[in-house]
Amino acid sequence: MTTTFNAAELALPGIRELQPYQAGKPIEELERELGLSGIVKLASNENPLGVSPLVQAALNVAVKGLARYPDANGFYLKQSLAEKFAVNADQITLGNGSNDVLELLARTYVQPQHEVIFSQHAFVVYPLVTKAIGATPVAVPARDYGHDLDAMAAAVTDKTRMIFIANPNNPTGTFLSSAELEAFLQKIPNQVLVVLDEAYYEYVPAAERAPSMQWITRFPNLVVSRTFSKAYGLAGLRAGFAVSHPQVADLMNRIRQPFNMNHLALTAALTALEDEKFLAESIEVNSAGMRQLIDFCDRHGLTYIPSHGNFLTIEVGPEAGAIYQKLLEMGVIVRPVAGYELPNHLRVSIGLADENDAFCHAMEKILA
Ligand SMILES: *Cc1c(COP(=O)(O)O)cnc(C)c1O
């Protein structure tokens, strides 16, 4: 018997419509394509200092344990996180990157008849996990490139089950104050889960950070996600976590893959939490690099979106795509953000001083 095989027709409708996630171009790929070396990658908001020496040492030891399955419950990491953030270990869900916990949340709570709210220009993973379930994404127009919390609260209907908020947001770097967030949470009914994605939390000055995890006792529908991919410098390992009401964590724990955080990631994350010196240096390098890029923009009359993250999204005009290509040819990888409805902007991750210089010099040549 021969029948035609239509893979797309058989798949879930929400998945058929998805576009694959566009990651920053890997250095090796550009090297292969152009035969260049000394490429500078400022495209994925990675930590330019690399991996903390303490973490490297711990990993060298941990490698010897790779024949065994990892601790499925991440006991020591959860203990350490609980202590550091003054929460209970039973409120924590570990993830293979925080993207994993964002997906687990959607799969635990969102059904096809539900709506999921997020902001225009917000992180692409929110519509992705929503559509994968077959639920309805509701993108609320941004205000000044950031979340319009009043409009987002007004968009809540009987069908709304989840709201994603990135603070600071990627790719715009916009930031919501503690007072704004708290007022928003007061307006949202308990049957709507509010997921506060704080991937760039460590870059926010301590005085401006929201006590988000402490709010969970007052707002049991709040879930906070964090990552080791940015300031902690572990993007390649995949380590993130959520803090929630213990019942939310219990449910997420039932559907996660039993060993979703691997042995090296558990070890590295635990050690990274202890290396406060490296974290402080990372934040320092970021502040200096941010000033460097802002000075460059100011000198050349380029507008940018003021950023609270480890990147700056710069308005370069309708030629953004061509400028991105020219930068590639000059060995500098940045991130086009047309897919985020920002066709005139490029997102530039903050690098080391000489990497930022490489971007500035290449831009100067292009602008001339
Ligand atoms: C980078 C980023 C993350 C982190 O993703 P991981 O899966 O932890 O690497 C999460 N949310 C936003 C908004 C980000 O920009």
Side-chain angles (χ1 to χ4, degrees):
M1 192 179 75
T2 58
T3 55
T4 51
F5 174 69
N6 189 329
E9 213 164 73
L10 299 173
L12 302 183
I15 292 179
R16 271 181 249 161
E17 289 157 25
L18 289 179
Q19 296 297 319
Y21 178 79
Q22 296 278 340
K25 194 176 186 68
I27 291 175
E28 297 78 13
E29 189 177 303
L30 189 62
E31 276 176 354
R32 276 200 305 277
E33 287 172 5
L34 299 181
L36 286 179
S37 60
I39 285 166
V40 170
K41 184 185 176 205
L42 301 174
S44 301
N45 301 346
E46 295 146 341
N47 190 327
L49 289 179
V51 179
S52 118
L54 281 189
V55 170
Q56 291 187 40
L59 285 173
N60 285 337
V61 178
V63 164
K64 299 187 174 74
L66 283 181
R68 304 233 177 250
Y69 280 99
D71 174 6
N73 291 314
F75 179 83
Y76 293 108
L77 180 56
K78 284 190 190 175
Q79 287 298 318
S80 179
L81 287 168
E83 199 173 308
K84 184 173 170 86
F85 296 115
V87 296
N88 288 320
D90 67 358
Q91 294 182 263
I92 299 171
T93 306
L94 300 179
N96 183 29
S98 60
N99 277 291
D100 190 25
V101 297
L102 300 177
E103 196 199 6
L104 286 174
L105 279 162
R107 284 176 52 220
T108 304
Y109 283 101
V110 180
Q111 298 178 53
Q113 70 271 23
H114 289 144
E115 294 171 355
V116 174
I117 297 175
F118 46 84
S119 175
Q120 180 192 19
H121 313 310
F123 193 39
V124 70
V125 168
Y126 314 147
L128 205 147
V129 298
T130 303
K131 289 179 193 166
I133 286 161
T136 305
V138 178
V140 174
R143 189 173 59 193
D144 298 330
Y145 296 108
H147 293 68
D148 183 343
L149 289 184
D150 291 335
M152 289 176 76
V156 172
T157 70
D158 296 348
K159 292 183 181 166
T160 308
R161 177 51 56 86
M162 192 165 278
I163 302 176
F164 284 106
I165 296 175
N167 198 45
N169 183 43
N170 171 23
T172 58
T174 49
F175 181 67
L176 297 159
S177 72
S178 191
E180 289 172 291
L181 280 171
E182 197 173 2
F184 176 78
L185 287 165
Q186 273 158 356
K187 283 192 240 169
I188 303 302
N190 267 348
Q191 73 269 19
V192 178
L193 279 105
V194 178
V195 180
L196 186 60
D197 176 349
E198 297 186 322
Y200 301 94
Y201 174 84
E202 295 79 12
Y203 296 108
V204 176
E208 292 174 46
R209 293 178 190 164
S212 48
M213 292 180 185
Q214 269 53 58
W215 282 340
I216 294 168
T217 38
R218 273 166 62 212
F219 305 111
N221 55 331
L222 172 65
V223 183
V224 176
S225 75
R226 299 267 179 91
T227 184
F228 288 93
S229 297
K230 307 285 158 60
Y232 288 104
L234 296 175
L237 263 181
R238 318 303 303 125
F241 64 100
V243 177
S244 65
H245 188 281
Q247 284 173 7
V248 174
D250 175 38
L251 290 163
M252 288 167 71
N253 194 46
R254 298 179 198 193
I255 59 158
R256 74 177 171 86
Q257 297 283 326
F259 304 105
N260 63 334
M261 200 156 161
N262 71 65
H263 180 55
L264 296 181
L266 286 168
T267 306
L270 185 62
T271 313
L273 284 179
E274 289 161 8
D275 196 346
E276 288 177 7
K277 182 164 160 275
F278 179 81
L279 187 65
E281 268 171 34
S282 302
I283 293 163
E284 193 51 51
V285 164
N286 191 63
S287 307
M290 184 71 84
R291 282 193 296 273
Q292 203 182 341
L293 287 192
I294 286 175
D295 282 351
F296 170 79
C297 290
D298 289 346
R299 269 187 280 120
H300 292 84
L302 290 168
T303 337
Y304 54 85
I305 307 171
S307 170
H308 291 75
N310 63 348
F311 55 88
L312 189 66
T313 297
I314 303 174
E315 189 169 0
V316 297
E319 298 299 307
I323 293 174
Y324 166 70
Q325 282 301 332
K326 282 187 193 154
L327 285 168
L328 282 184
E329 286 158 26
M330 297 161 94
V332 179
I333 313 175
V334 298
R335 192 69 157 266
V337 281
Y340 288 89
E341 298 182 38
L342 294 166
N344 296 338
H345 288 76
L346 291 174
R347 191 193 72 189
V348 185
S349 303
I350 307 296
L352 300 174
D354 58 339
E355 296 174 317
N356 302 328
D357 269 340
F359 163 78
C360 296
H361 289 144
M363 269 308 278
E364 266 162 2
K365 281 190 195 146
I366 292 167
L367 293 172

